[in-house]
Amino acid sequence: MAHRCNHCQATCIGHRTSEPQPSPDIARLLATNDPPSAKQQEDFLRYRVDGVKRLTELETIIAESQQALEGAMAERDALTGNLKHHRLVLNPVRRLPADVLREIFLFACARISEEPFRFHFIPPSFLAAVCRSWHDIAVTFPQLW
């Protein structure tokens, strides 16, 4: 059942290099109402037994593969979330000094409405709601209010 992939040399389980082919006599017998010979009947019964056995093996392989796929997808989703969290924690804005953030806050809260540069007013309370450190900076910066 296991074999080596000709392309990547990985061991593959449950994959056959060729599909089992039914006897060419089947097509002829299905097109007529003739009974199979004793030899054909024996071959067809053996094929059915082997086919049912292989079908059971394939169902098991499919179930195991689906379970492995679901596990890999769950791991991928968890890793994606963890990588996002790490990216957020490593964001450079977290390392900006308070005086630089104050300047950014002043600019963001400025009421500039001259054309062609039209800026919209951002309430200081929005900036203060971002995180604890921004809140502390905003509420202790009287020029912002």
Side-chain angles (χ1 to χ4, degrees), residues 12-86:
C12 300
I13 297 178
H15 304 302
R16 290 193 177 190
T17 54
S18 64
E19 295 180 18
Q21 298 297 317
S23 166
D25 295 335
I26 285 286
R28 184 184 58 77
L29 288 169
L30 286 172
T32 67
N33 203 19
D34 296 339
S37 68
K39 170 82 171 96
Q40 289 172 327
Q41 188 171 348
E42 182 182 320
D43 291 344
F44 297 160
L45 287 172
R46 189 174 339 105
Y47 183 88
R48 284 196 58 205
V49 169
D50 292 346
V52 169
K53 180 181 174 190
R54 180 63 182 152
L55 191 58
T56 302
E57 291 171 355
L58 290 171
E59 293 294 339
T60 300
I61 291 167
I62 290 169
E64 290 170 353
S65 298
Q66 285 176 331
Q67 187 176 10
L69 178 62
E70 289 169 4
M73 289 170 63
E75 183 180 350
R76 178 206 57 198
D77 293 345
L79 182 58
T80 299
N82 289 336
L83 290 172
K84 178 182 177 186
H85 293 153
H86 283 76

Side-chain angles (χ1 to χ4, degrees), residues 112-132:
I112 301 172
S113 61
E114 298 173 11
E115 297 292 339
F117 301 103
R118 183 182 220 166
F119 297 100
H120 299 283
F121 172 70
I122 296 175
S125 59
F126 280 21
L127 296 173
V130 170
C131 64
R132 171 53 66 192

Side-chain angles (χ1 to χ4, degrees), residues 97-116:
D99 59 325
V100 173
L101 283 173
R102 285 187 196 99
E103 290 298 319
I104 293 170
F105 289 0
L106 274 177
F107 182 77
C109 295
R111 295 180 191 212
I112 301 172
S113 61
E114 298 173 11
E115 297 292 339

